[in-house]
């Protein structure tokens, strides 16, 4: 066989080795969101979608699939072809908490998804009704220890980050209160504002106007440093309890999605989330925009998994 034929064969082999996804994307990409339109996760998806479309030259379409704590959406993405055309913008609940709470024993984020990048992080604030005779976190804990179970804490639902931070604080301090679960954050907030419950944990984005107007009193934030918009509210660590927590949003793809696709997405997201106008949009939601490499996001989610799942299991939290 002469050298010309050998070269031709080598070229054919090289062409055959080029992956079919080399031209990705050459059609619209779906971003599946596990909640209805209008919530923080949905808004986060709509903030990043235009930048992704501009970078890749294809539409990035938001597909809302609410239900079962986000597991309906998550499982639909996990069953999708790992070709980069179906992505999932998840959060703490759908990726970590809901599979345990809803009894999806065969669903584990690390087995179902390829991490792409973090998108946003939102801190929480502990707030009380103004008529409650406490001025600090220590006052609240002292009252809860003096009269265990008397205070009522409003939760937007079993297994939400708001609820789990409450469980963590009780386990760390020995204080005890009664958890009142609501079907969503809106009714929980309404009852707190109306004085039907004593306190709750909520995203700073939701709490900020009510604290500013004096309708609730902020006692502590779950950040490492004070929140700029709430300079008079100490961190939990400053108040004597080393507790930090936040809700996150992040992008994942079905397991087996090629690394060059997740890598391209990650690089573009990091750039998008570093743009000042995008940062400002997330800041208006009380969130911090921050992208990451797939490896960094995987490490973060693994750490959150190890932190919160034992709390869920110890508390016996299950969906009704």
């Amino acid at each position: 066989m002469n050298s010309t034929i050998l070269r031709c064969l080598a070229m054919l082999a090289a062409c055959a080795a080029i992956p079919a996804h080399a031209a990705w994307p050459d059609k619209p990409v779906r971003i599946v969101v596990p909640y209805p339109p209008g919530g923080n996760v949905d808004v986060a998806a709509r903030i990043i979608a235009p930048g992704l479309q501009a970078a890749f030259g294809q539409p990035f379409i938001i597909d809302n699939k609410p239900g079962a704590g986000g597991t309906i959406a998550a499982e639909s993405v996990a069953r999708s072809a790992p070709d980069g055309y179906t992505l999932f913008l998840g959060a703490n609940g759908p990726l970590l908490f809901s599979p345990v709470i809803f009894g999806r024993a065969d669903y584990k984020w690390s087995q179902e998804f390829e991490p792409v990048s973090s998108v946003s992080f939102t801190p929480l604030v502990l707030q009380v009704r103004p008529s409650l005779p406490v001025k600090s976190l220590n006052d609240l804990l002292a009252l809860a220890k003096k009269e265990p179970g008397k205070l009522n804490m409003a939760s937007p639902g079993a297994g939400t980050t708001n609820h789990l931070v409450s469980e963590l604080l009780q386990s760390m301090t020995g204080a005890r209160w009664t958890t009142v679960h609501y079907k969503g954050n809106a009714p929980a907030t309404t009852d707190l504002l109306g004085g039907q419950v004593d306190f709750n944990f909520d995203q700073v984005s939701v709490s900020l106007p009510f604290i500013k107007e004096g309708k609730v009193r902020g006692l502590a934030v779950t950040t490492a440093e004070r929140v700029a918009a709430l300079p008079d509210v100490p961190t939990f660590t400053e108040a004597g309890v080393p507790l930090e927590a936040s809700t996150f949003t992040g992008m994942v793809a079905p397991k087996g999605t090629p690394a060059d696709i997740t890598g391209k997405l990650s690089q573009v997201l990091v750039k998008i989330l570093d743009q000042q106008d995008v940062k400002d949009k997330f800041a208006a939601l009380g969130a911090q925009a921050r992208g990451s490499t797939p490896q960094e996001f995987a490490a973060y989610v693994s750490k959150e998994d190890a932190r919160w799942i034992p709390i869920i299991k110890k508390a016996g939290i299950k969906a009704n």
Side-chain angles (χ1 to χ4, degrees):
M1 189 177 291
N2 62 42
S3 60
T4 300
I5 294 174
L6 287 173
R7 284 197 298 272
C8 289
L9 289 173
M11 290 175 65
L12 286 171
C15 289
I18 296 175
H21 53 78
W24 178 92
D26 60 4
K27 62 181 181 180
V29 178
R30 279 194 311 141
I31 302 177
V32 178
V33 173
Y35 301 111
N40 279 0
V41 180
D42 174 73
V43 174
R46 296 178 191 278
I47 290 174
I48 63 173
L52 291 168
Q53 180 168 320
F56 291 108
Q58 291 290 340
F60 277 70
I61 301 166
I62 311 303
D63 184 4
N64 299 90
K65 288 183 179 294
T71 59
I72 289 175
E75 290 172 354
S76 75
V77 174
R79 292 192 298 266
S80 299
D83 56 9
Y85 291 99
T86 303
L87 306 171
F88 184 49
L89 192 67
N92 311 55
L95 286 176
L96 300 177
F97 310 153
S98 294
V100 179
I101 294 166
F102 285 81
R104 304 291 213 270
D106 58 345
Y107 165 27
K108 177 74 174 174
W109 71 270
S110 58
Q111 298 169 3
E112 306 290 345
F113 300 110
E114 300 288 355
V116 174
S117 172
S118 57
V119 172
S120 66
F121 298 85
T122 306
L124 289 85
V125 58
L126 168 60
Q127 55 188 5
V128 301
R129 57 180 173 86
S131 57
L132 192 69
V134 299
K135 300 296 184 183
S136 68
L137 174 62
N138 285 334
D139 289 345
L140 180 70
L141 295 176
L143 184 57
K145 291 177 181 179
K146 180 180 179 181
E147 301 179 276
K150 183 176 180 179
L151 295 175
N152 291 320
M153 193 284 294
S155 159
T160 56
T161 301
N162 316 54
H163 175 210
L164 295 182
V165 170
S166 170
E167 294 292 335
L168 178 60
L169 183 59
Q170 289 180 90
S171 69
M172 292 176 69
T173 63
R176 292 291 178 266
W177 43 77
T178 298
T179 300
V180 182
H181 290 300
Y182 291 80
K183 292 183 178 179
N185 204 51
T189 300
T190 297
D191 272 10
L192 177 64
L193 295 175
Q196 280 75 45
V197 290
D198 298 304
F199 70 100
N200 76 347
F201 295 82
D202 208 346
Q203 279 73 18
V204 169
S205 54
V206 177
S207 302
L208 186 59
F210 301 125
I211 294 175
K212 293 288 189 182
E213 294 168 10
K215 294 180 179 179
V216 293
R217 183 183 304 120
L219 299 186
V221 291
T222 63
T223 45
E225 299 178 354
R226 294 196 182 196
V227 174
L230 296 173
D232 297 328
V233 180
T235 67
F236 272 85
T237 299
E238 288 177 324
V241 180
L243 184 157
E244 293 181 29
S246 64
T247 58
F248 72 81
T249 63
M251 182 173 286
V252 296
K255 196 71 173 179
T257 300
D260 63 334
I261 292 178
T262 58
K264 289 177 184 176
L265 279 165
S266 170
Q267 291 171 7
V268 170
L269 278 170
V270 168
K271 292 179 181 178
I272 291 171
L273 293 164
D274 195 43
Q275 295 172 2
Q276 191 58 52
D277 64 325
V278 172
K279 288 182 177 181
D280 291 343
K281 289 176 182 177
F282 277 101
L285 301 173
Q288 178 190 19
R290 187 169 76 244
S292 63
T293 66
Q295 295 76 22
E296 289 169 342
F297 188 43
Y300 173 79
V301 178
S302 294
K303 185 178 178 180
E304 291 293 282
D305 192 336
R307 180 187 190 190
W308 295 111
I309 298 306
I311 293 173
I312 292 173
K313 292 180 177 178
K314 182 178 179 181
I317 300 170
K318 295 292 181 184
N320 295 329

